[in-house]
Amino acid sequence: MSQEVLLSVKDLRTEFFSSKTSSVTAIKDVSFDMYRGEVLGLVGESGCGKSVTSLSIMQLLKDTPGKVTNGSATLDGVNLVEASDTQIRDIRGGKMSMIFQEPMSALNPSMRIDKQMIETIRLHQDMTKEQALAHAADMLKKVGIPDPARVLKNYPHQLSGGMSQRVMIAMALSNNPELLIADEPTTALDVTIQAQILDLMKKLQKEDGSSILLITHDLGVVAEMCTRVIVMYAGKIVEMAPVEKLFATPSHPYTQGLIASVPKLGSGVKVLPSIPGSVPDLASMPTGCRFAPRCKYATDKCREQEPELLDISEDQKCRCWRTQEG
Amino acid sequence: MEKNVILSLKNVSKTFPVGKSLLGRPTKFVHAVNDVSFDVYEGETFSIVGESGCGKSTTGRLINHLLIPDSGEIWFQGKEISHISQDEMRPIRKDMQMIFQDPAGSLNPRMRVSELIEEPLLIHTDMSAEERAKIVNNLLKIVGLSDKHASRYPHEFSGGQKQRIGIARALTVNPHLVIADEPISALDVSIQAQVLNLLHKLQEEYKLTYVFISHDLSVVEMISDRIAVMYLGFVVETAPKEMLYKTPLHPYTEALLSAVPIPDPTLHKERIILEGDIPSTINLPKGCPFAARCKKCRPECLEQRPERVEVEPGHFVACHLYKK
Amino acid sequence: MPNTQNEQVKTDTSFEENYIDENVSVKTNKTKEFIKKFMKRKTAVAAFFVMCFLLLMALFGPSLAPYAPEAYDYDNILAGPSASHLFGTDQYGRDIFSRILAGTPLTLGVSLSSVIVGAALGTVLGLLAGYYGGWIEMLVMRGADVLFSFPDILLAIAIVALLGPGIVNVFIAVAVFTVPSFARIMRSATLAVKGSLYVEVARSLGCKDGRILFVHIFPGTLQSLIVNFTMRIGSAIMAASSLSFLGFGANIADPEWGAMLSLGRSYLSTAPHMVYLPGLVIFITVLAFNLFGDGLRDTLDPKIK
């Protein structure tokens, strides 16, 4: 696998402003490189900043109180944070596209599928309406919709959850994006439908070698789909590793706790180790390591000084005093 | 040892009217629960699993007398309760409490934690304020909260903490049966394990019987003794946990089990991918409810509803592949 | 699979078992937040002060009045506003300013008490209709529809016409015409709260209907109740004054604001201050209650910042 960097995120910080002067920092010091052709997982629990990270990369914070206040996200040489609105509009849906958790709310309810797809395609590709329609039908066939002609004539509410997520994927892929950001793409779906969609995404990734940034809270989905994983906690990256390594030798106590606390089918245990306590409030972050109040290894140093995200081996990074000092 | 049946459902069905004609009569019915029968033994955890719309939550509400079945019987501690009045039901509720999926919604936002937790005591006992406060403070500690929190309001707590409050409330009157309707699915991964462990600890301490309703097969495997799998309002398979996970009989159970993503990247299992979507419960299929998506479907499956058969002791399945 | 770290975590669970989760968000003071938000609405704050002023006027006004309300001054008949008679005098030379002060408790008293009685009745009916549905709902809502089909003041006139004139009958008329608006608003508020999960939980815990209604549902409807209450006071003052103006209400000799307007009507061309000044007071009073109600509604709406 080539190690060509596709997306490079450096020191990204996003704050949410409640007024001109007061704000809470949702993510801080977020830096990572994403390589072409890999499926990179962004994992964490609600409020850890994984979705804010993806929205910051996509520049989708414009209508929210959120603002990127530091850092850069470079896709193919273009810094998305500083790019103009027209540049972003050109990239979004073209080079970089997104699928969301709620396929229903991401589709325009008052527009037929064919219109929506033709519009998306013609925004980025020089095609006539007929060509675009044919391309849309091809895309729907590619995502496993048996009867594209009928689905194209439907309105979103006439489709089931699984079906509309397929349509979303077809739309997102219709302009051959270099980067696909999938934000909890299967969370709203039932298990058997989730299996269909994951199966489809894996197949398409293998065929096209596309690069996917997969945001999820589900470690099962991560294990299934990803090649490399970033774990976030309380707005910061705490660990980064290839997927096998992350599950075999998790290094950060939070990652260890997270993996241990997920029931595994067929494991036969009755009681799970769990992480005590709850996630800190964004407005009142603990000083020192943000995980320290819930960490059973925490020392005074952990409670006073915040560790850096450092290499602990050639492909694994961790933000923890304990692993860094041996 | 002879096991005591604490709860028994016999051919319970429930429909909801949808759509209205000009005269105000319903034109269609959602068949939410269809001919459901099972027994729950004292002290066990009986789980009902299935995907959204399979009728598992409706079943929970039928047991709790929040809904009245159209037909069938519900026996709880030797008494038929499906059609008794609210007044007759009230003393029974002391023995049967419920925990809900949405921890925020299930707590009245205008009541303090102490008022929320002591409410069942006010209804079912005539304890003094001090006695109630003692029980509340003790329960707060048992569920891992501090008694300092008793005067706080629900919005000041996180989701997991709110669910702990809900659990404490269900336990005040020492119930025998607790119906837990997706109690952890609104919570974060690490918090889910906390609450599951808490439920497990409480079951041992208070000798509780759980009816655990969930869509998550990995969680169900951990917590259950016996499991019923529901599809389209029907129970398609009932079995002790070990049998169900080792030798699932119904093709739907098989597919459901194989669809669960396992958090282990070294494992590459072969998946059964089901075609199509879950059909609507308005027009029930004539034959087997699963026939349209079943890979082993035979002509008779489209024509005839399969009967429930006991394939091995305690292992029931409703499928034409298994005949008496 | 070798997984040393996980094994370690499994064996040592004492840390988790003894962990008490103290991580509760900062205690919020709802009253403080409410006041802060309300203070942002300048007109409503102004209206609030006018309202307070009016209430003080009702309490202490009569004793502070420069003249007795019935004091005749035949040297100053129909005199315009001046230093000695701030609002001028009427056809008997009585001081209008003193009469307005003296009339405040009467006008505000009748309106306030009739809204209180009407609101109480309407609230109970609305709660019952929303909670039980069925024939109770049918009866209450159709009744409200019938009362609503009369234009407000016509209904009040019809009632007074039926009962005969007099201040007590004005009170009854205004109370009756207040009932349907509360019944409607409380019914929809009840329906909204009744559908929430915590009410289903209350039922599952075994609460009796009375407890569900008054402990769980009623507090959730208080917001709409309070807002509607302040809004209706304005229209009750209007209605009471109008009835008196039309001669159905207070004795024409009483210093009731509407009655004073009515009295001034015949002198509109020669002494317009007899109409304009009491009219202005009524206008400001009604406006103050309405603006305060608006402000209160916006403050209580979590969607409005």
Side-chain angles (χ1 to χ4, degrees):
Chain A
M1 191 174 71
S2 67
Q3 292 280 297
E4 186 194 343
V5 173
L6 172 69
L7 171 76
S8 173
V9 176
K10 283 223 161 55
D11 298 324
L12 204 63
R13 185 210 323 237
T14 299
E15 293 174 61
F16 281 79
F17 290 84
S18 54
S19 72
K20 278 223 170 68
T21 48
S22 70
S23 69
V24 289
T25 308
I27 55 168
K28 207 180 156 190
D29 306 333
V30 172
S31 303
F32 63 89
D33 284 337
M34 184 175 169
Y35 305 111
R36 210 176 271 281
E38 76 170 340
V39 181
L40 180 62
L42 201 53
V43 197
E45 300 174 274
S46 56
C48 73
K50 56 187 193 300
S51 282
V52 175
T53 305
S54 76
L55 292 174
S56 303
I57 294 169
M58 286 290 276
Q59 293 294 299
L60 282 173
L61 290 166
K62 288 264 147 51
D63 301 325
T64 69
K67 208 175 166 256
V68 178
T69 50
N70 189 38
S72 64
T74 315
L75 175 74
D76 255 2
V78 182
N79 181 359
L80 302 170
V81 173
E82 278 160 9
S84 69
D85 283 1
T86 34
Q87 257 178 310
I88 285 289
R89 231 172 296 146
D90 203 38
I91 293 172
R92 219 192 280 142
K95 255 188 200 169
M96 165 172 84
S97 58
M98 195 159 181
I99 42 183
F100 298 91
Q101 178 173 354
E102 296 285 343
M104 283 301 187
S105 52
L107 291 166
N108 182 344
S110 59
M111 222 194 234
R112 268 178 20 188
I113 302 297
D114 50 0
K115 266 201 158 171
Q116 300 194 41
M117 289 197 70
I118 290 171
E119 197 184 312
T120 319
I121 294 168
R122 292 190 65 204
L123 268 176
H124 298 278
Q125 291 181 56
D126 191 21
M127 281 192 191
T128 64
K129 265 191 185 159
E130 289 70 34
Q131 285 172 319
L133 185 66
H135 183 50
D138 280 350
M139 289 311 299
L140 290 184
K141 201 169 264 165
K142 198 172 171 187
V143 298
I145 290 175
D147 187 5
R150 188 182 56 85
V151 169
L152 278 170
K153 292 210 168 59
N154 279 351
Y155 285 93
H157 70 89
Q158 292 168 295
L159 303 175
S160 67
M163 206 57 118
S164 43
Q165 194 58 291
R166 282 172 195 263
V167 170
M168 273 305 299
I169 293 173
M171 255 165 104
L173 296 179
S174 58
N175 293 318
N176 300 314
E178 293 185 19
L179 171 65
L180 178 68
I181 300 182
D183 190 351
E184 304 267 9
T186 58
T187 306
L189 305 175
D190 275 316
V191 207
T192 56
I193 311 293
Q194 164 171 293
Q196 292 175 359
I197 299 291
L198 291 181
D199 194 54
L200 169 70
M201 284 175 68
K202 255 199 300 204
K203 197 185 99 208
L204 294 176
Q205 203 270 338
K206 226 175 252 164
E207 280 171 15
D208 305 349
S210 38
S211 321
I212 304 177
L213 181 61
L214 179 68
I215 295 140
T216 181
H217 70 281
D218 190 332
L219 288 171
V221 172
V222 169
E224 188 114 323
M225 296 288 299
C226 298
T227 45
R228 220 153 53 90
V229 189
I230 294 171
V231 182
M232 289 188 77
Y233 180 78
K236 292 205 166 188
I237 294 177
V238 295
E239 184 159 4
M240 205 186 299
V243 68
E244 292 85 7
K245 214 165 190 174
L246 189 92
F247 280 90
T249 54
S251 160
H252 196 282
Y254 175 66
T255 318
Q256 292 172 5
L258 199 63
I259 292 172
S261 67
V262 179
K264 217 191 280 176
L265 205 63
S267 65
V269 293
K270 275 235 152 194
V271 178
L272 285 171
S274 69
I275 307 172
S278 41
V279 178
D281 199 20
L282 282 182
S284 55
M285 276 296 162
T287 48
C289 173
R290 294 182 169 189
F291 186 61
R294 300 173 71 190
C295 180
K296 61 175 170 179
Y297 306 116
T299 60
D300 287 342
K301 185 175 185 184
C302 299
R303 282 182 275 268
E304 280 151 21
Q305 281 178 54
E306 188 164 16
E308 295 275 310
L309 183 67
L310 295 178
D311 288 320
I312 54 166
S313 69
E314 107 192 69
D315 53 4
Q316 192 166 13
K317 287 181 190 208
C318 180
R319 187 191 291 278
C320 177
W321 288 122
R322 189 166 161 266
T323 49
Q324 285 164 17
E325 289 170 359
Chain B
M1 194 182 73
E2 188 62 23
K3 284 183 278 186
N4 286 329
V5 173
I6 184 169
L7 174 78
S8 176
L9 271 69
K10 293 191 176 134
N11 309 97
V12 173
S13 294
K14 175 74 185 172
T15 58
F16 296 103
V18 280
K20 268 185 183 173
S21 68
L22 277 176
L23 291 168
R25 291 225 180 79
T27 49
K28 290 180 223 159
F29 289 92
V30 168
H31 300 267
V33 171
N34 303 301
D35 201 21
V36 163
S37 305
F38 56 77
D39 291 337
V40 177
Y41 300 117
E42 212 165 308
E44 74 168 346
T45 300
F46 184 83
S47 291
I48 306 175
V49 280
E51 299 178 277
S52 55
C54 74
K56 55 191 191 299
S57 280
T58 307
T59 306
R61 282 171 161 77
L62 286 167
I63 298 169
N64 199 229
H65 205 264
L66 292 169
L67 295 170
I68 308 295
D70 298 347
S71 62
E73 292 171 8
I74 299 172
W75 291 78
F76 175 65
Q77 294 185 333
K79 194 171 176 330
E80 210 287 312
I81 58 164
S82 66
H83 284 86
I84 61 176
S85 72
Q86 290 295 342
D87 286 327
E88 286 172 284
M89 184 63 198
R90 192 162 300 114
I92 296 170
R93 290 190 181 283
K94 190 174 173 298
D95 293 336
M96 185 206 282
Q97 293 282 314
M98 190 152 174
I99 303 167
F100 293 82
Q101 173 175 8
D102 172 12
S106 68
L107 304 176
N108 187 337
R110 286 168 200 85
M111 285 166 88
R112 292 173 195 279
V113 169
S114 55
E115 294 171 315
L116 286 165
I117 297 180
E118 72 174 5
E119 185 156 29
L121 295 173
L122 281 173
I123 301 164
H124 297 291
T125 69
D126 42 14
M127 287 185 186
S128 69
E130 292 91 63
E131 284 174 294
R132 291 198 306 266
K134 221 172 111 188
I135 291 181
V136 168
N137 288 340
N138 185 32
L139 273 169
L140 275 173
K141 266 180 238 149
I142 287 175
V143 298
L145 291 166
S146 157
D147 52 6
K148 281 181 284 184
H149 297 150
S151 61
R152 297 295 198 91
Y153 285 97
H155 72 266
E156 295 166 24
F157 295 85
S158 68
Q161 292 168 328
K162 281 182 196 141
Q163 195 58 288
R164 286 164 189 271
I165 296 170
I167 292 171
R169 169 171 63 187
L171 292 180
T172 45
V173 284
N174 290 317
H176 297 147
L177 177 73
V178 173
I179 304 159
D181 184 4
E182 301 260 13
I184 60 164
S185 53
L187 308 175
D188 267 322
V189 188
S190 72
I191 311 297
Q192 290 193 345
Q194 290 178 9
V195 174
L196 274 182
N197 290 347
L198 175 66
L199 287 172
H200 182 78
K201 181 182 101 178
L202 294 171
Q203 180 167 40
E204 291 190 338
E205 249 164 65
Y206 290 82
K207 303 271 171 286
L208 297 171
T209 307
Y210 286 137
V211 170
F212 192 88
I213 297 163
S214 176
H215 70 279
D216 190 331
L217 284 149
S218 334
V219 170
V220 164
E221 187 198 17
M222 220 188 99
I223 198 164
S224 318
D225 296 307
R226 287 189 315 125
I227 297 160
V229 181
M230 284 187 80
Y231 185 78
L232 226 59
F234 294 90
V235 172
V236 296
E237 186 163 0
T238 319
K241 174 177 72 183
E242 295 76 19
M243 285 186 204
L244 190 91
Y245 281 82
K246 210 172 277 165
T247 52
L249 294 178
H250 200 283
Y252 175 65
T253 316
E254 235 181 310
L256 199 60
L257 279 171
S258 95
V260 179
I262 294 178
D264 183 353
T266 56
L267 218 74
H268 294 287
K269 62 171 179 180
E270 210 39 55
R271 277 254 144 82
I272 305 167
I273 303 285
L274 287 180
E275 302 283 321
D277 294 308
I278 303 164
S280 117
T281 45
I282 292 177
N283 299 310
L284 286 181
K286 194 171 144 208
C288 169
F290 187 59
R293 297 172 79 195
C294 185
K295 294 212 166 88
K296 298 171 183 166
C297 178
R298 300 189 293 197
E300 58 180 325
C301 301
L302 294 168
E303 292 302 319
Q304 221 182 358
R305 287 257 164 85
E307 300 230 345
R308 198 170 82 129
V309 287
E310 189 167 7
V311 176
E312 46 190 323
H315 195 157
F316 297 89
V317 65
C319 175
H320 286 302
L321 294 173
Y322 307 92
K323 287 254 170 74
K324 273 175 212 171
Chain C
M1 189 184 58
N3 193 336
T4 43
Q5 266 120 340
N6 280 4
E7 304 275 294
Q8 217 173 330
V9 176
K10 257 175 217 164
T11 46
D12 177 21
T13 53
S14 57
F15 179 71
E16 289 153 32
E17 266 165 30
N18 302 322
Y19 194 98
I20 294 269
D21 196 354
E22 305 260 8
N23 190 3
V24 176
S25 71
V26 188
K27 204 168 187 172
T28 47
N29 189 331
K30 281 188 180 167
T31 335
K32 246 189 209 159
E33 271 172 21
F34 172 80
I35 293 173
K36 206 171 139 195
K37 195 173 166 190
F38 183 75
M39 282 304 180
K40 281 191 203 156
R41 272 149 254 276
K42 301 280 180 270
T43 40
V45 174
F48 175 71
F49 283 114
V50 173
M51 260 173 54
C52 291
F53 179 73
L54 282 166
L55 290 177
L56 287 177
M57 225 166 97
L59 284 175
F60 304 109
S63 48
L64 293 176
Y67 302 92
E70 310 301 335
Y72 299 106
D73 180 357
Y74 290 110
D75 298 333
N76 281 311
I77 286 173
L78 298 176
S82 66
S84 55
H85 296 286
L86 218 50
F87 281 13
T89 60
D90 65 5
Q91 71 271 44
Y92 304 112
R94 296 177 295 193
D95 182 49
I96 292 180
F97 182 63
S98 302
R99 286 178 65 76
I100 286 176
L101 283 179
T104 315
L106 192 63
T107 307
L108 287 189
V110 168
S111 327
L112 263 175
S113 53
S114 55
V115 173
I116 289 173
V117 170
L121 220 67
T123 299
V124 171
L125 288 176
L127 274 174
L128 294 178
Y131 184 67
Y132 287 106
W135 64 269
I136 302 182
E137 182 178 27
M138 176 86 170
L139 214 66
V140 171
M141 290 340 282
R142 290 302 85 79
D145 285 344
V146 169
L147 292 181
F148 257 122
S149 59
F150 293 98
D152 277 7
I153 190 68
L154 262 188
L155 176 65
I157 291 174
I159 295 167
V160 178
L162 212 69
L163 300 172
I167 201 83
V168 176
N169 292 343
V170 167
F171 159 79
I172 294 172
V174 176
V176 169
F177 111 94
T178 311
V179 170
S181 90
F182 277 93
R184 269 196 181 177
I185 281 171
M186 289 306 285
R187 173 184 160 266
S188 56
T190 306
L191 281 179
V193 183
K194 187 184 156 193
S196 59
L197 181 60
Y198 66 82
V199 171
E200 191 182 14
V201 170
R203 204 166 292 140
S204 127
L205 292 176
C207 288
K208 289 186 183 161
D209 283 355
R211 186 172 167 84
I212 293 180
L213 253 176
F214 291 103
V215 177
H216 293 284
I217 292 182
F218 181 62
T221 62
L222 262 182
Q223 279 187 14
S224 0
L225 179 63
I226 292 170
V227 170
N228 195 42
F229 187 80
T230 47
M231 306 276 240
R232 290 309 291 193
I233 291 177
S235 35
I237 293 171
M238 273 301 276
S241 304
S242 308
L243 286 175
S244 295
F245 174 78
L246 294 169
F248 292 117
N251 193 326
I252 203 85
D254 286 339
E256 204 279 337
W257 295 353
M260 288 168 68
L261 267 186
S262 174
L263 211 58
R265 192 172 35 171
S266 351
Y267 304 92
L268 194 58
S269 51
T270 48
H273 67 271
M274 272 185 74
V275 173
Y276 289 147
L277 291 171
L280 190 68
V281 172
I282 295 175
F283 170 72
I284 289 172
T285 311
V286 173
L287 195 66
F289 278 101
N290 282 344
L291 287 177
F292 176 72
D294 275 343
L296 205 60
R297 186 191 52 207
D298 290 355
T299 313
L300 291 171
D301 190 342
K303 277 179 240 126
I304 299 175
K305 280 258 156 71

